Amino acid sequence: MHFRIDAQDGKARACTLTTAHSTIQTPVFMPVGTVGSVKALDALDLQSHLDPSIILGNTYHLYLRPGDEVVAELGGLHGFTKFPRSFLTDSGGFQAFSLSDNVKIEEDGITFRSHLDGSPHHFTPQKVLDIQYNLGSDIMMILDDLVALPATHQRIRESIERTTRWAERSIEYHRRKQEEGVGTEQNIFAIIQGGTDPAFRKISAEELCALDFDGFAIGGLSVGEASQEMYDTVEWTTTFMPKDKPRYLMGVGTPEDLVENVERGVDMFDCVMPTRNARNGTLFTSFGKITIKGARFTTDEGPIDPACDCMVCRTYSRAYLRHLFRAKELTYFRLATIHNLYYYLQLMKEMRAAIHEGRFGEFKREFYRKRLQQS
Amino acid sequence: MHFRIDAQDGKARACTLTTAHSTIQTPVFMPVGTVGSVKALDALDLQSHLDPSIILGNTYHLYLRPGDEVVAELGGLHGFTKFPRSFLTDSGGFQAFSLSDNVKIEEDGITFRSHLDGSPHHFTPQKVLDIQYNLGSDIMMILDDLVALPATHQRIRESIERTTRWAERSIEYHRRKQEEGVGTEQNIFAIIQGGTDPAFRKISAEELCALDFDGFAIGGLSVGEASQEMYDTVEWTTTFMPKDKPRYLMGVGTPEDLVENVERGVDMFDCVMPTRNARNGTLFTSFGKITIKGARFTTDEGPIDPACDCMVCRTYSRAYLRHLFRAKELTYFRLATIHNLYYYLQLMKEMRAAIHEGRFGEFKREFYRKRLQQS
């Protein structure tokens, strides 16, 4: 992976990452394609209506179904889904914790039962990389030891220590595999843990950033803490992260979260929020969120957001979308998803432009000002 | 509406219908867009991937939600849905019978309760036209008195007699409305009833075809009778229908049904089969139906149908579609719907070409021959 900082404005960065499958301009938002499709969209929708340079796939889901070996046989995620640009895959650890039953963490890895059929499975730092070699993702995340908050000091300490040991095993395994010709075009990111505790974050960041990873993620945030706590933790943690490698804040977040964390030096984001909220009837606009089912939209001929030039806003009325939502029409889900993702991707482009032009502060003031008005 | 017969081969006809919104080449299949969207698709999908010249909307559904007056305020079905070509709307009678509660038929119309909220409603021959004026459809169907089969001879007689009386009221009302400047670009079709009884079909056809309608439909078939009974009834009924007006067989059917009934002189069809079957995992191909969830497709890199050049067959593998279906991904429903409708529309085009070239018999033999092979 080639990484270059194109511009900086305060701590905010505009960078370019190049993988085997695409050139990624940051700050970047990665739409979530859990089981091999961004929910409700296909690869041609992505290309025609959104043009993302990278999307995310979930290792846990793809491992269970259709199985990473099936994906490998069909040409990896690129061949299977026909999305030709970059994929980032997570380690599967987070889903194993949150979706499966009977999770047991031991020194060599985690044991869990599938949420689909109850079958037993075991993930080790090596195993989740083997799965990701089969998936053929451009950026692989390593297995980390997650902590459900609130947790004792002792448990958090154990978590960051184990996360470091697993990171050491992961990078050693990956570099050895690459020497054997496996995953030579795949990049590997470590995940900094430590909750919202500055001391633990510092330890975790310093230990992991000393290792030969291609990039670093901040994990364990956006799990219910106050927004300001998240922003403070990111601000603190980034001071221990190398400038010459990409920084990825996992599972974040609202449009406000994206602006605040780009300001604090984060390059990459992913979140189910735009896609999941779309399906629940919440649409993002330059002036804040709207709930499309509202009776006030019954005969509203206007687009979701007059300032948006996505396919949906150029074509359909709020009245039509409200009707499709109320009638639970499948058509609704796709149109709402396209709009919300377009909003997110556009927001990132605008931030990048502002960083390039040294007016990020101004951009941020304008972003919040528009939200105080209502359309 | 302008109507012209372009070619004939036996009883099979290739015609051209021109409405205010499109030129329709027959035989034609009309995708069903129940509540204002062909399920899982939007208007741009129709244009880009299928190019239908006419689709169907359901009056009962649109009347209840969002309400025909709301649709009128947003520019009728064309303005509301942004599908710019022709719409045919049914009378609402069939859905009132099949979906609602407490249906009561009386001489002036039918009374029923909404399946959505239990509210009471009353449809008369005039009322369902008023609704369709609001919807702005290009072809309106009149209210008919439906019979749930099996029924007594007496009940069927009552049904066809009342259907004729309602037809008289409908055509009188419509021509009067047109003189007042309402629905001047809208066409009106009557519906021949009579079950599978030749004598009743003859009476119903002769009585209705004596009236000044723009076209005639054959209703009350595809309700559980044997295929051959349907074909015989259509063959018999068409002999009493005018040659110079379009013939529409409602709610039909399988690909085989389309071929058999085109051969018997039908011009227009609609059916939920391609769209509903798509969502249930049944896909149509030149060699018959396949069930995409089958384990034999797990690593099948081929398209649904090697003979199909739809967007889905040009892009995605059976393995990917099977995976999306099993994972219940929204993406699946749209892709399967596009393929199945493409198959239906392509079949109609092929029949039209065969009629033009005087080789419909040969086309039909080949159609059945391919189905005896398996891919």
Side-chain angles (χ1 to χ4, degrees), chain B residues 99-255:
Chain B
L99 292 179
S100 71
D101 296 324
N102 300 79
V103 189
K104 219 169 85 186
I105 310 169
E106 288 168 309
E107 184 51 28
D108 82 319
I110 63 178
T111 306
F112 60 93
R113 286 185 178 277
S114 159
H115 74 293
L116 296 176
D117 62 7
S119 55
H121 298 274
H122 187 60
F123 276 175
T124 65
Q126 295 85 350
K127 170 74 178 175
V128 301
L129 292 178
D130 285 337
I131 297 171
Q132 293 176 84
Y133 296 139
N134 273 334
L135 298 178
S137 47
D138 300 274
I139 300 176
M140 308 185 293
M141 304 304 298
I142 64 164
L143 193 67
D144 53 353
D145 181 6
L146 296 169
V147 177
L149 294 178
T152 62
H153 221 65
Q154 176 52 32
R155 175 66 187 97
I156 299 178
R157 176 176 300 278
E158 181 187 57
S159 142
I160 61 167
E161 287 175 358
R162 184 172 285 146
T163 291
T164 296
R165 288 195 298 276
W166 286 0
E168 287 163 350
R169 280 176 224 166
S170 300
I171 191 68
E172 187 197 18
Y173 186 70
H174 180 54
R175 295 305 175 208
R176 182 152 49 81
K177 278 295 193 184
Q178 287 192 315
E179 282 168 25
E180 293 168 13
V182 175
T184 50
E185 295 194 324
Q186 293 181 270
N187 302 286
I188 186 168
F189 281 26
I191 306 168
I192 299 165
Q193 291 291 348
T196 54
D197 184 303
F200 283 142
R201 281 284 170 188
K202 179 173 187 287
I203 296 171
S204 186
E206 286 181 339
E207 287 181 356
L208 295 173
C209 295
L211 300 172
D212 177 31
F213 285 96
D214 301 301
F216 297 94
I218 303 175
L221 289 178
S222 201
V223 292
E225 76 282 2
S227 297
Q228 194 57 52
E229 271 190 296
M230 181 214 288
Y231 306 155
D232 291 345
T233 303
V234 168
E235 185 151 17
W236 169 251
T237 306
T238 49
T239 60
F240 304 100
M241 295 169 76
K243 287 197 167 23
D244 60 348
K245 289 187 175 174
R247 302 162 175 173
Y248 163 30
L249 179 56
M250 301 182 80
V252 173
T254 64

Side-chain angles (χ1 to χ4, degrees), chain A residues 179-341:
Chain A
E179 281 167 25
E180 293 167 13
V182 175
T184 51
E185 295 195 323
Q186 293 181 269
N187 302 285
I188 187 169
F189 281 25
I191 306 168
I192 299 163
Q193 291 290 348
T196 52
D197 183 304
F200 283 142
R201 281 283 169 187
K202 179 172 188 289
I203 296 169
S204 186
E206 286 181 338
E207 287 181 355
L208 295 173
C209 295
L211 300 172
D212 178 30
F213 285 97
D214 302 302
F216 298 94
I218 302 174
L221 290 178
S222 201
V223 292
E225 76 282 2
S227 296
Q228 194 56 51
E229 271 191 294
M230 181 215 287
Y231 305 155
D232 291 346
T233 304
V234 168
E235 184 150 18
W236 169 250
T237 306
T238 50
T239 61
F240 304 100
M241 294 169 77
K243 287 198 167 23
D244 60 348
K245 289 187 175 175
R247 301 161 175 174
Y248 164 30
L249 179 56
M250 301 182 81
V252 172
T254 64
E256 290 81 354
D257 290 341
L258 300 181
V259 172
E260 294 293 340
N261 289 300
V262 165
E263 186 177 41
R264 287 162 173 81
V266 173
D267 307 311
M268 304 167 69
F269 301 86
D270 81 283
C271 192
V272 295
M273 185 167 282
T275 41
R276 182 175 293 166
N277 277 12
R279 300 196 301 278
N280 294 336
T282 299
L283 304 178
F284 292 97
T285 76
S286 54
F287 49 87
K289 291 187 288 189
I290 65 171
T291 305
I292 195 63
K293 76 172 167 204
R296 68 195 168 110
F297 300 128
T298 305
T299 55
D300 189 333
E301 295 197 69
I304 301 167
D305 184 351
C308 177
D309 62 354
C310 81
M311 173 273 260
V312 183
C313 286
R314 280 186 282 109
T315 313
Y316 300 106
S317 65
R318 290 169 172 174
Y320 186 56
L321 292 164
R322 171 181 189 262
H323 167 64
L324 295 179
F325 178 76
R326 289 180 74 229
K328 299 184 175 59
E329 282 291 286
L330 290 166
T331 302
Y332 166 79
F333 300 107
R334 175 167 166 270
L335 297 179
T337 301
I338 289 172
H339 169 79
N340 271 3
L341 282 178

Side-chain angles (χ1 to χ4, degrees), chain A residues 61-75:
Chain A
H61 287 97
L62 292 159
Y63 159 76
L64 290 178
R65 187 172 59 196
D68 51 296
E69 283 162 12
V70 167
V71 175
E73 198 171 329
L74 292 153

Side-chain angles (χ1 to χ4, degrees), chain A residues 35-37 39-45 65-66 74 80-82 301 315-316 319-320 323 326-327 329 331 334, chain B residues 35-37 39-45 65-66 74 80-82 301 315-316 319-320 323 326-327 329 331 334:
Chain A
V35 305
S37 75
K39 285 192 192 303
L41 308 186
D42 78 320
L44 298 183
D45 279 332
R65 187 172 59 196
L74 292 153
F80 187 51
T81 69
K82 307 300 178 191
E301 295 197 69
T315 313
Y316 300 106
Y320 186 56
H323 167 64
R326 289 180 74 229
E329 282 291 286
T331 302
R334 175 167 166 270
Chain B
V35 306
S37 76
K39 286 193 191 303
L41 308 186
D42 77 320
L44 299 183
D45 279 331
R65 188 173 59 198
L74 291 153
F80 188 52
T81 69
K82 307 299 178 191
E301 296 195 69
T315 313
Y316 300 105
Y320 185 56
H323 167 63
R326 289 180 74 230
E329 282 291 287
T331 302
R334 174 167 165 269

